Amino acid sequence: MSPLQNLFDPQVLAEVGFAGTLILTFGGAVIAIFPRNILYSVLGLALSLTGVAGVFLYLGSPFIALMEILIYVGGICIPIVFAIMLSKPLHLTLPKRHLPKLGLALAAALTVFVILNSIIFKTPWQRAAVTNDDWSITSLGIYLLTRYELVFEVISLVLLAAIMGAIIIAEYSRRSQS
Amino acid sequence: MNSLHTYLVVAALLFTLGVFGLLQRRSLIGMLISIELMLNAASINFMAFNRFLAPDPLIGQIYTLFIMGIAAAEAAIALSIIVAVFRSLSSIDIERAQKLRG
């Protein structure tokens, strides 16, 4: 097989796509964390969430990947951008962090990473004995309206209460200021 | 690419970046962004276990949907609190939010 044909082998293409997805995810996360201008951080968050949607695609669920883009990139990043742009100096850059504090934060994060990794590699993961391969959206909808009906309704209630609370908090702070 | 460990390590790395951002950031919006990264790492974990271990591959997807709903509610509340804090302090620097200090 010539190298060019080798490049279009589905397996190789899948590997390259997966590497691209990971670069998108972690590159976006790094952009989200480090710049001191907050607008860059939001754009990095959007990039990273798009990468996570790609990871979901590789995990076999296009529906969840689409929901990720719809809810996170569309529904969470946009309000953050609105909040930044509507209140005047939110986009101002903050003073630099002290180096010792940065080092402590890095040490804490690395501790978390090491502990998580040791758990991941020491646990003998076992596949469930009986598995069914039903990935269809139809059965997902049936589950949401039968077995997980109560959770579904409670989540709707939580969302409603959260949005009403957000409106009341924003309104109250404006009234108490003037 | 096709093993459980790959996805778990990816999720752990994303979670670590979120923890680092949460500890290192001083602006409230930056901390909110880091929390979103951590929630996404949890979602990746749910989907990975769902794909490789779970008896029924629909339940992990449903849990991921619920996580997204909760994250949307959390972002709405957090943004309104940030706007309120900004109005009363004229800053979103977390170290200046000390009104309750004795």
Side-chain angles (χ1 to χ4, degrees):
Chain A
M1 210 194 276
S2 74
L4 197 65
Q5 266 179 323
N6 199 11
L7 193 67
F8 290 110
D9 183 31
Q11 189 64 38
V12 177
L13 271 185
E15 298 273 352
V16 171
F18 191 65
T21 308
L22 290 191
I23 290 173
L24 203 62
T25 307
F26 291 123
V30 167
I31 296 176
I33 288 173
F34 288 108
R36 274 186 287 147
N37 189 333
I38 290 179
L39 206 52
Y40 293 160
S41 300
V42 181
L43 297 180
L45 178 71
L47 259 187
S48 176
L49 295 181
T50 314
V52 172
V55 172
F56 287 163
L57 217 54
Y58 274 89
L59 282 168
S61 176
F63 175 65
I64 298 292
L66 285 179
M67 282 297 123
E68 170 90 15
I69 292 182
L70 194 71
I71 297 178
Y72 268 114
V73 182
I76 292 183
C77 291
I78 304 287
I80 295 178
V81 173
F82 265 119
I84 292 174
M85 289 186 169
L86 285 182
S87 347
K88 284 164 293 176
L90 281 199
H91 62 274
L92 289 182
T93 53
L94 292 168
K96 217 175 162 70
R97 212 69 173 115
H98 299 306
L99 210 57
K101 285 186 178 174
L102 216 69
L104 276 179
L106 191 65
L110 277 181
T111 316
V112 171
F113 185 62
V114 168
I115 291 174
L116 280 179
N117 262 321
S118 64
I119 291 173
I120 288 169
F121 286 104
K122 276 188 185 149
T123 313
W125 303 108
Q126 275 178 343
R127 201 180 162 77
V130 188
T131 57
N132 69 346
D133 282 337
D134 187 7
W135 286 81
S136 66
I137 301 178
T138 317
S139 341
L140 196 91
I142 290 173
Y143 265 40
L144 273 181
L145 289 181
T146 53
R147 198 165 147 191
Y148 294 95
E149 164 89 55
L150 179 66
V151 191
F152 189 62
E153 295 294 336
V154 170
I155 295 257
S156 319
L157 203 63
V158 167
L159 257 177
L160 181 67
I163 291 172
M164 283 163 57
I167 294 172
I168 289 171
I169 290 173
E171 178 65 29
Y172 177 73
S173 73
R174 186 166 67 191
R175 198 174 299 158
S176 67
Q177 186 192 35
S178 58
Chain B
M1 175 186 109
N2 226 341
S3 79
L4 178 63
H5 287 105
T6 320
Y7 292 102
L8 291 186
V9 171
V10 166
L13 199 54
L14 202 58
F15 190 85
T16 308
L17 283 172
V19 170
F20 180 61
L22 189 66
L23 293 175
Q24 169 250 355
R25 271 308 173 96
R26 271 196 293 183
S27 75
L28 280 167
I29 289 189
M31 292 168 79
L32 177 67
I33 287 171
S34 305
I35 290 175
E36 299 295 341
L37 285 181
M38 287 158 74
L39 280 172
N40 268 279
S43 300
I44 291 181
N45 254 2
F46 268 111
M47 290 296 285
F49 287 133
N50 177 47
R51 162 88 168 70
F52 292 104
L53 304 176
D56 193 339
L58 289 171
I59 296 176
Q61 300 185 47
I62 290 176
Y63 268 86
T64 311
L65 276 181
F66 289 158
I67 291 177
M68 284 179 196
I70 293 292
E74 172 249 340
I77 283 287
L79 281 177
S80 73
I81 290 177
I82 288 170
V83 170
V85 167
F86 173 73
R87 282 210 182 109
S88 70
L89 296 178
S90 320
S91 157
I92 52 166
D93 185 346
I94 188 65
E95 289 179 5
R96 289 187 53 192
Q98 295 178 333
K99 275 200 171 172
L100 287 179
R101 193 163 98 170

